[in-house]
């Protein structure tokens, strides 16, 4: 999908340098992927203590599928 966005030159230059990307598009893709990955981790961490498991880790690991 194509999208037109306006990004300040200095921020885009920093992004290109940090991601070591060759193109602006790939640098933005890396930034978006990293942002989404961090949000997913936050969501998983927020669930800590809210889930209850009836099986132990060993039982889960060794059960037949």
């Amino acid at each position: 999908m194509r999208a037109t966005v306006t990004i300040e030159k200095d921020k885009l230059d920093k992004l290109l340098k940090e991601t070591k990307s060759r193109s602006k598009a790939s640098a933005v893709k890396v930034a978006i992927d990293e942002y989404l990955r961090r949000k997913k981790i936050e969501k998983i961490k927020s669930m800590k203590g809210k889930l209850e498991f009836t099986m132990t880790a060993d039982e889960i690991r060794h059960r037949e599928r």
Side-chain angles (χ1 to χ4, degrees):
M1 182 174 100
R2 289 189 162 273
T4 301
V5 295
T6 303
I7 301 173
E8 297 160 7
K9 184 180 180 346
D10 60 324
K11 287 184 183 180
L12 188 56
D13 290 342
K14 286 179 186 177
L15 182 63
L16 283 164
K17 185 176 179 180
E18 287 295 321
T19 60
K20 297 179 178 109
S21 297
R22 292 182 177 205
S23 71
K24 296 173 197 173
S26 64
V28 171
K29 287 177 191 173
V30 168
I32 291 170
D33 289 342
E34 179 63 18
Y35 175 82
L36 294 174
R37 185 184 74 79
R38 287 184 185 199
K39 283 297 186 181
K40 187 184 289 186
I41 290 170
E42 282 179 26
K43 185 176 180 181
I44 291 169
K45 284 182 176 180
S46 74
M47 294 167 53
K48 182 179 179 181
K50 295 179 182 176
L51 301 175
E52 187 176 316
F53 295 96
T54 57
M55 296 171 60
T56 66
D58 282 336
E59 290 173 333
I60 293 170
R61 239 182 255 118
H62 298 293
R63 78 175 211 189
E64 291 186 34
R65 294 180 187 185

